[in-house]
Amino acid sequence: MSKTFNRDALSGLIVFLIALPLCLGIAQASHVSPFAGILAGVIGGVVVGKLSGSALSVSGPAAGLIAIVVTALAAMPFQYFLCAVMLAGAFQLLAGILGVGGMADYIPSNVIEGMLAGIGITIVVNQAENAVGFDKQAFLDEEEAGFAWTDLDEIVEHMEPGAMLISLLGLALLTLWSCRRFKRLQWFPVGLLVVLAGVLVNQMLGLVRPGWALRGDAHLIRLPVPTTVAEFFAQFTLPDFSGLALPQVWVTGAIIAVVASVETLLCIEATDKLDPQKRVTPTNVELRAQGVGNLLSGLLGGLPITSVIVRSSANINAGARTKLSTIFHGLLLLACVATIPQWLNFVPKAALAAILIFTGYRLARPQIFLSLWKADRWNQFTPFIVTVVSVVFLDLLRGVAIGLLVSIFFILRQNARLPYYYQRSSFTNNELIKLTLAQEVSFLNKASIKQTLDELPRNSAVVIDASNTAYIDFDVLEVIRDFAHSRAGERGIKLSLVGFQEHYNVPQVSTERELVSGLAGMHGEAPKRSAGLAQDLLRQLRKK
């Protein structure tokens, strides 16, 4: 027990060092108070960590929800947004109770990859201004949510050398730490190193190059520094429940619930695969835990919570064995914001921007695009790239919806093309053709089958085999019945229907003996030789 406790405590410390800059950075990108980000991390660690069915998953504010938060806050006050977070928690809790934890399995992986890549690109673009030290409020007439291409001229004209130096240094450290050559150094959390390096460089600039040093709310983290217990609790923001009367609040809550649940379930699946003990997390228990966490986070003034793969994988790599490590990391976050917030106020936003830009790059790295392009340029890559572009230029909800529609179109198109196996052999002056129907033939296959039957050559022999077919749609049966009743005879086609179930009520089913006899009479050769050729051809078709 003591050995497990020591490993879990050390893992919790490492996860805390990774989570602290991420909580601050996500709060910064979401345009909310840094306290809201750390509070979400505390609740995700302590509350969700306690209730979760996973031993190793770590929850907290997630980069994948930044776009939703920014869009929502552009349309409503923060107190109304907290109502939406609480509604999201209630929806997740209800989903867990109703047992819909397997819903993520129904979303195509190319759409999920596209969603994550779109989020990554959005994060990179939105954090560009912090990375170069551009003070948007000082130089633009209106405060806009996120990045606008019209801001480029102002950003280029008002870049801060100190911010650029800190962000480039941070990106260099993050890149080096991701290389295999520096594997021995990876025991130290690179996120914390980027933050410490940013603070150190900024303090040195204040001594040797004061004009480059970053100062003020536009360039540094600003956490309130409470001097009493009452001032500390005053940082918590309560929701304005009158916002529950607004339809937009309910829509935002539903969007958060869906996206957070999908991200959580995907993270849980990945975490279970990384677990050395191969434990399986009950998904419905996890949804209920996330629901309680978001209810509490919305009530107290925090950001939405999901299970996060970066922190979860770090927890596993650090050697965690039980959920104690997750809880311990949450307690350390609480102690940090309660006792040393003044130290956090030295952190430059450029350092956090570097962490977020690198995170965005990992979500949208070129290898993902190339792998889907090589896998299937149409059925996989097209829905993926449509989702990416839609998420970047529209928003997350509409982007995913458009990606799903495109993905469904390609799935239906692919299914419609594969209703049967087509086998064709020559028989003297005629053709012997066998159509083996697939296991399921739906109405989507009607057009393809009808076109194939219409294009069958005249005076040929045709076998339609349904021996391995479990279901045939009524519309398809009508096409086959019509072909058997009239069109086959009109074109001199000898038809054999094999393996159709009795309740399909398919008329005039020929036997193979009748087919052989018909084939023998379809040419001028000796009957015995003709029948022998026909039997050989049928045997070949059966083998295929």
Side-chain angles (χ1 to χ4, degrees):
M1 180 67 183
S2 60
K3 184 178 181 180
T4 301
F5 175 82
N6 292 338
R7 297 187 69 168
D8 287 335
L10 178 60
S11 300
L13 174 62
I14 293 174
V15 175
F16 156 73
L17 296 175
I18 295 172
L20 178 60
L22 286 175
C23 289
L24 294 172
I26 291 169
Q28 169 184 304
S30 302
H31 301 169
V32 299
S33 163
F35 184 80
I38 294 182
L39 178 60
V42 172
I43 295 172
V46 178
V47 178
V48 179
K50 176 64 177 176
L51 299 176
S52 173
S54 173
L56 301 175
S57 173
V58 181
S59 297
L65 296 177
I66 291 174
I68 298 176
V69 177
V70 171
T71 303
L73 291 178
M76 67 181 71
F78 185 61
Q79 288 81 358
Y80 284 2
F81 173 74
L82 294 178
C83 292
V85 177
M86 292 188 67
L87 286 172
F91 291 146
Q92 287 181 300
L93 185 58
L94 180 62
I97 294 172
L98 295 178
V100 295
M103 64 179 180
D105 297 334
Y106 295 95
I107 300 178
S109 59
N110 52 8
V111 175
I112 294 173
E113 292 284 2
M115 177 190 73
L116 294 174
I119 290 170
I121 294 172
T122 303
I123 291 171
V124 172
V125 172
N126 285 339
Q127 286 303 304
E129 58 192 54
N130 287 316
V132 300
F134 175 65
D135 185 0
K136 191 170 187 176
Q137 289 182 326
F139 295 103
L140 295 181
D141 295 333
E142 296 180 358
E143 174 64 16
E144 303 171 1
F147 172 87
W149 295 105
T150 54
D151 299 345
L152 279 175
D153 292 341
E154 292 289 347
I155 291 176
V156 172
E157 291 178 6
H158 300 96
M159 293 189 297
E160 293 285 342
M164 295 180 64
L165 176 62
I166 290 171
S167 59
L168 289 174
L169 175 61
L171 288 172
L173 291 172
L174 289 162
T175 303
L176 289 174
W177 247 246
S178 64
C179 296
R180 293 183 179 180
R181 294 182 180 180
F182 294 86
K183 190 174 182 179
R184 294 181 179 180
L185 300 176
Q186 292 175 357
W187 64 270
F188 191 85
V190 66
L192 179 64
L193 179 62
V194 171
V195 169
L196 293 176
V199 173
L200 179 61
V201 168
N202 195 45
Q203 294 302 311
M204 292 177 63
L205 288 176
L207 297 176
V208 300
R209 196 72 180 261
W212 284 21
L214 301 177
R215 300 183 179 88
D217 296 350
H219 302 298
L220 299 177
I221 290 295
R222 277 294 174 259
L223 272 174
V225 182
T227 57
T228 65
V229 175
E231 288 182 2
F232 172 74
F233 284 104
Q235 298 177 87
F236 293 88
T237 303
L238 299 179
D240 183 350
F241 290 105
S242 63
L244 294 174
L246 300 177
Q248 189 173 14
V249 171
W250 286 79
V251 172
T252 301
I255 294 172
I256 294 173
V258 171
V259 177
S261 298
V262 170
E263 186 168 344
T264 291
L265 294 174
L266 293 175
C267 175
I268 287 295
E269 183 178 354
T271 302
D272 287 347
K273 290 180 180 179
L274 295 174
D275 183 3
Q277 299 182 33
K278 301 302 178 185
R279 289 166 286 191
V280 177
T281 301
T283 54
N284 292 311
V285 173
E286 186 64 29
L287 282 182
R288 293 196 292 269
Q290 296 289 334
V292 173
N294 277 314
L295 275 169
L296 188 58
S297 186
L299 180 63
L300 297 179
L303 285 171
I305 295 169
T306 74
S307 179
V308 191
I309 189 60
V310 174
R311 278 159 264 185
S312 300
S313 59
N315 193 35
I316 295 170
N317 293 334
R321 290 293 180 267
T322 71
K323 61 175 64 179
L324 178 63
S325 61
T326 301
I327 297 172
F328 187 56
H329 116 275
L331 293 174
L332 288 175
L333 285 173
L334 177 61
C336 179
V337 74
T339 58
I340 55 170
Q342 64 273 18
W343 292 9
L344 300 181
N345 289 338
F346 288 102
V347 177
K349 290 183 179 181
L352 301 179
I355 296 173
L356 288 166
I357 288 173
F358 190 77
T359 301
Y361 168 78
R362 294 290 295 272
L363 290 174
R365 59 191 182 275
Q367 292 88 335
I368 296 174
F369 290 75
L370 290 174
S371 63
L372 287 169
W373 174 261
K374 292 178 180 178
D376 192 330
R377 296 182 182 181
W378 293 108
N379 298 324
Q380 292 296 320
F381 184 78
T382 302
F384 164 78
I385 199 66
V386 168
T387 305
V388 172
V389 174
S390 301
V391 168
V392 172
F393 288 98
L394 297 175
D395 56 54
L396 191 64
L397 178 63
R398 285 186 288 179
V400 171
I402 293 172
L404 276 173
L405 289 176
V406 174
S407 182
I408 290 171
F409 167 78
F410 277 96
I411 291 172
L412 296 179
R413 178 173 172 267
Q414 185 71 10
N415 288 341
R417 287 184 167 186
L418 299 173
Y420 55 81
Y421 299 99
Y422 186 97
Q423 300 162 356
R424 184 170 181 169
S425 300
S426 298
F427 180 78
T428 312
N429 296 323
N430 305 103
E431 298 289 339
L432 178 60
I433 298 169
K434 184 177 182 182
L435 303 180
T436 304
L437 298 182
Q439 186 174 8
E440 292 190 5
V441 183
S442 72
F443 72 94
L444 299 170
N445 308 128
K446 176 183 175 180
S448 177
I449 290 179
K450 187 174 185 298
Q451 181 181 1
T452 299
L453 294 178
D454 289 341
E455 294 175 354
L456 289 173
R458 290 179 174 274
N459 302 318
S460 59
V462 177
V463 180
I464 301 180
D465 188 355
S467 302
N468 299 321
T469 306
Y471 169 77
I472 303 177
D473 184 78
F474 175 80
D475 290 344
V476 176
L477 287 172
E478 282 294 302
V479 171
I480 295 174
R481 290 191 190 107
D482 178 62
F483 183 77
H485 271 302
S486 57
R487 288 186 294 148
E490 292 171 357
R491 295 160 57 194
I493 295 175
K494 187 66 177 179
L495 178 65
S496 177
L497 303 177
V498 179
F500 285 82
Q501 300 177 28
E502 292 184 6
H503 67 272
Y504 287 151
N505 194 27
V506 176
Q508 299 178 0
V509 177
S510 302
T511 64
E512 292 188 3
R513 180 178 298 177
E514 292 172 341
L515 177 62
V516 170
S517 176
L519 287 170
M522 289 173 63
H523 48 79
E525 295 189 21
K528 289 185 178 180
R529 174 174 171 77
S530 302
L533 288 172
Q535 289 173 344
D536 289 341
L537 288 171
L538 284 172
R539 277 195 292 270
Q540 292 175 14
L541 289 174
R542 291 194 201 100
K543 291 179 181 179
K544 293 179 181 178

